[in-house]
Short mmCIF file of all heavy atoms in Angstrom, two decimals:
data_model
loop_
_atom_site.label_atom_id
_atom_site.label_comp_id
_atom_site.label_asym_id
_atom_site.label_seq_id
_atom_site.Cartn_x
_atom_site.Cartn_y
_atom_site.Cartn_z
N SER A 1 -183.31 188.39 -96.32
CA SER A 1 -184.53 188.75 -95.57
C SER A 1 -185.63 189.32 -96.46
O SER A 1 -186.68 189.71 -95.95
CB SER A 1 -184.19 189.77 -94.49
OG SER A 1 -183.91 191.04 -95.06
N GLN A 2 -185.40 189.33 -97.75
CA GLN A 2 -186.31 190.01 -98.68
C GLN A 2 -187.78 189.64 -98.49
O GLN A 2 -188.64 190.50 -98.53
CB GLN A 2 -185.87 189.74 -100.11
CG GLN A 2 -186.69 190.48 -101.14
CD GLN A 2 -186.17 190.27 -102.54
OE1 GLN A 2 -185.30 189.46 -102.78
NE2 GLN A 2 -186.71 191.01 -103.47
N TRP A 3 -188.08 188.40 -98.29
CA TRP A 3 -189.48 187.97 -98.21
C TRP A 3 -189.87 187.51 -96.81
O TRP A 3 -190.92 186.87 -96.64
CB TRP A 3 -189.75 186.84 -99.21
CG TRP A 3 -189.39 187.25 -100.61
CD1 TRP A 3 -188.32 186.83 -101.33
CD2 TRP A 3 -190.08 188.18 -101.44
NE1 TRP A 3 -188.29 187.43 -102.56
CE2 TRP A 3 -189.38 188.28 -102.65
CE3 TRP A 3 -191.22 188.96 -101.29
CZ2 TRP A 3 -189.77 189.10 -103.70
CZ3 TRP A 3 -191.62 189.78 -102.33
CH2 TRP A 3 -190.90 189.83 -103.51
N LEU A 4 -189.08 187.86 -95.81
CA LEU A 4 -189.36 187.39 -94.45
C LEU A 4 -190.08 188.45 -93.62
O LEU A 4 -189.90 189.65 -93.82
CB LEU A 4 -188.05 187.02 -93.75
CG LEU A 4 -187.24 185.89 -94.37
CD1 LEU A 4 -185.95 185.68 -93.58
CD2 LEU A 4 -188.05 184.61 -94.41
N SER A 5 -190.84 187.97 -92.65
CA SER A 5 -191.45 188.87 -91.67
C SER A 5 -190.37 189.31 -90.68
O SER A 5 -189.25 188.79 -90.69
CB SER A 5 -192.56 188.13 -90.92
OG SER A 5 -191.98 187.09 -90.14
N GLU A 6 -190.71 190.23 -89.80
CA GLU A 6 -189.75 190.67 -88.77
C GLU A 6 -189.30 189.50 -87.90
O GLU A 6 -188.13 189.38 -87.57
CB GLU A 6 -190.36 191.78 -87.91
CG GLU A 6 -190.56 193.08 -88.67
CD GLU A 6 -189.26 193.66 -89.18
OE1 GLU A 6 -188.24 193.65 -88.45
OE2 GLU A 6 -189.25 194.14 -90.33
N THR A 7 -190.24 188.63 -87.54
CA THR A 7 -189.89 187.45 -86.75
C THR A 7 -188.99 186.52 -87.54
O THR A 7 -188.01 186.00 -87.01
CB THR A 7 -191.17 186.70 -86.32
OG1 THR A 7 -192.00 187.59 -85.57
CG2 THR A 7 -190.83 185.47 -85.49
N GLY A 8 -189.29 186.33 -88.81
CA GLY A 8 -188.46 185.49 -89.67
C GLY A 8 -187.05 186.04 -89.81
O GLY A 8 -186.07 185.29 -89.81
N ILE A 9 -186.93 187.36 -89.90
CA ILE A 9 -185.61 187.99 -89.99
C ILE A 9 -184.81 187.74 -88.72
O ILE A 9 -183.64 187.34 -88.78
CB ILE A 9 -185.74 189.51 -90.25
CG1 ILE A 9 -186.32 189.76 -91.63
CG2 ILE A 9 -184.39 190.19 -90.08
CD1 ILE A 9 -186.71 191.20 -91.88
N GLN A 10 -185.44 187.93 -87.57
CA GLN A 10 -184.74 187.70 -86.30
C GLN A 10 -184.31 186.24 -86.17
O GLN A 10 -183.20 185.95 -85.73
CB GLN A 10 -185.62 188.12 -85.11
CG GLN A 10 -185.83 189.61 -85.02
CD GLN A 10 -184.53 190.39 -84.88
OE1 GLN A 10 -183.67 190.06 -84.07
NE2 GLN A 10 -184.38 191.42 -85.69
N ASP A 11 -185.18 185.33 -86.58
CA ASP A 11 -184.83 183.90 -86.54
C ASP A 11 -183.65 183.60 -87.47
O ASP A 11 -182.73 182.87 -87.09
CB ASP A 11 -186.04 183.03 -86.92
CG ASP A 11 -187.13 183.05 -85.87
OD1 ASP A 11 -186.87 183.50 -84.73
OD2 ASP A 11 -188.26 182.62 -86.21
N LEU A 12 -183.69 184.13 -88.68
CA LEU A 12 -182.62 183.92 -89.63
C LEU A 12 -181.29 184.44 -89.09
O LEU A 12 -180.26 183.76 -89.14
CB LEU A 12 -182.92 184.61 -90.96
CG LEU A 12 -181.78 184.65 -91.98
CD1 LEU A 12 -181.44 183.25 -92.47
CD2 LEU A 12 -182.12 185.58 -93.12
N LEU A 13 -181.29 185.66 -88.55
CA LEU A 13 -180.06 186.25 -88.04
C LEU A 13 -179.51 185.47 -86.84
O LEU A 13 -178.30 185.31 -86.70
CB LEU A 13 -180.29 187.71 -87.69
CG LEU A 13 -180.65 188.61 -88.88
CD1 LEU A 13 -180.91 190.02 -88.42
CD2 LEU A 13 -179.58 188.56 -89.95
N THR A 14 -180.41 184.96 -86.01
CA THR A 14 -179.98 184.13 -84.88
C THR A 14 -179.29 182.87 -85.38
O THR A 14 -178.21 182.50 -84.89
CB THR A 14 -181.17 183.79 -83.98
OG1 THR A 14 -181.73 185.00 -83.47
CG2 THR A 14 -180.77 182.89 -82.84
N VAL A 15 -179.89 182.22 -86.37
CA VAL A 15 -179.30 180.99 -86.92
C VAL A 15 -177.94 181.29 -87.56
O VAL A 15 -176.97 180.54 -87.36
CB VAL A 15 -180.26 180.34 -87.94
CG1 VAL A 15 -179.56 179.28 -88.77
CG2 VAL A 15 -181.46 179.75 -87.24
N LEU A 16 -177.84 182.39 -88.30
CA LEU A 16 -176.56 182.72 -88.95
C LEU A 16 -175.49 183.06 -87.92
O LEU A 16 -174.32 182.68 -88.09
CB LEU A 16 -176.75 183.87 -89.94
CG LEU A 16 -177.55 183.54 -91.19
CD1 LEU A 16 -177.73 184.78 -92.05
CD2 LEU A 16 -176.91 182.42 -91.98
N ALA A 17 -175.86 183.76 -86.86
CA ALA A 17 -174.89 184.08 -85.81
C ALA A 17 -174.40 182.80 -85.12
O ALA A 17 -173.20 182.64 -84.87
CB ALA A 17 -175.50 185.04 -84.79
N GLU A 18 -175.31 181.90 -84.83
CA GLU A 18 -174.93 180.62 -84.22
C GLU A 18 -174.06 179.81 -85.17
O GLU A 18 -173.09 179.19 -84.73
CB GLU A 18 -176.18 179.83 -83.82
CG GLU A 18 -176.94 180.45 -82.67
CD GLU A 18 -178.29 179.82 -82.42
OE1 GLU A 18 -178.71 178.93 -83.21
OE2 GLU A 18 -178.96 180.23 -81.45
N ARG A 19 -174.38 179.82 -86.44
CA ARG A 19 -173.59 179.10 -87.44
C ARG A 19 -172.16 179.66 -87.51
O ARG A 19 -171.19 178.91 -87.57
CB ARG A 19 -174.26 179.19 -88.81
CG ARG A 19 -173.52 178.52 -89.92
CD ARG A 19 -174.29 178.70 -91.24
NE ARG A 19 -173.61 178.11 -92.35
CZ ARG A 19 -173.67 176.83 -92.68
NH1 ARG A 19 -174.41 176.01 -91.97
NH2 ARG A 19 -173.02 176.37 -93.72
N ALA A 20 -172.05 180.98 -87.51
CA ALA A 20 -170.74 181.62 -87.57
C ALA A 20 -169.89 181.20 -86.37
O ALA A 20 -168.71 180.87 -86.51
CB ALA A 20 -170.88 183.13 -87.62
N GLU A 21 -170.49 181.20 -85.21
CA GLU A 21 -169.75 180.84 -83.99
C GLU A 21 -169.41 179.35 -83.97
O GLU A 21 -168.27 178.97 -83.71
CB GLU A 21 -170.56 181.20 -82.75
CG GLU A 21 -169.79 180.97 -81.48
CD GLU A 21 -170.56 181.45 -80.26
OE1 GLU A 21 -171.34 182.40 -80.38
OE2 GLU A 21 -170.37 180.85 -79.19
N ARG A 22 -170.38 178.53 -84.25
CA ARG A 22 -170.20 177.08 -84.18
C ARG A 22 -169.17 176.58 -85.20
O ARG A 22 -168.34 175.73 -84.90
CB ARG A 22 -171.54 176.37 -84.38
CG ARG A 22 -171.50 174.86 -84.22
CD ARG A 22 -172.89 174.22 -84.34
NE ARG A 22 -173.54 174.50 -85.61
CZ ARG A 22 -174.55 175.34 -85.78
NH1 ARG A 22 -175.07 176.00 -84.77
NH2 ARG A 22 -175.09 175.53 -86.97
N GLN A 23 -169.22 177.12 -86.41
CA GLN A 23 -168.34 176.65 -87.47
C GLN A 23 -167.12 177.55 -87.69
O GLN A 23 -166.37 177.37 -88.65
CB GLN A 23 -169.13 176.50 -88.77
CG GLN A 23 -170.21 175.47 -88.67
CD GLN A 23 -170.92 175.23 -89.99
OE1 GLN A 23 -170.55 175.75 -91.04
NE2 GLN A 23 -171.97 174.42 -89.94
N GLN A 24 -166.96 178.55 -86.81
CA GLN A 24 -165.83 179.48 -86.92
C GLN A 24 -165.75 180.10 -88.32
O GLN A 24 -164.72 180.08 -88.98
CB GLN A 24 -164.52 178.77 -86.57
CG GLN A 24 -164.43 178.29 -85.14
CD GLN A 24 -164.48 179.45 -84.16
OE1 GLN A 24 -163.58 180.28 -84.13
NE2 GLN A 24 -165.54 179.52 -83.35
N LYS A 25 -166.89 180.64 -88.77
CA LYS A 25 -166.99 181.23 -90.09
C LYS A 25 -167.21 182.73 -90.00
O LYS A 25 -167.73 183.23 -89.00
CB LYS A 25 -168.15 180.62 -90.88
CG LYS A 25 -167.92 179.19 -91.29
CD LYS A 25 -169.02 178.71 -92.20
CE LYS A 25 -168.77 177.30 -92.65
NZ LYS A 25 -168.08 177.25 -93.92
#
């Protein structure tokens, strides 16, 4: 998140959470 805005951070974390669930990671 080093260079991301607050919105970018929330989007990134949402994608990572979905990835963890979808791929069982």
Side-chain angles (χ1 to χ4, degrees):
S1 72
Q2 184 176 9
W3 304 106
L4 298 178
S5 66
E6 291 299 318
T7 302
I9 292 170
Q10 291 301 312
D11 290 346
L12 171 66
L13 296 178
T14 299
V15 166
L16 291 177
E18 291 170 356
R19 178 181 179 82
E21 185 175 330
R22 185 176 58 254
Q23 297 185 6
Q24 296 296 296
K25 290 187 178 266

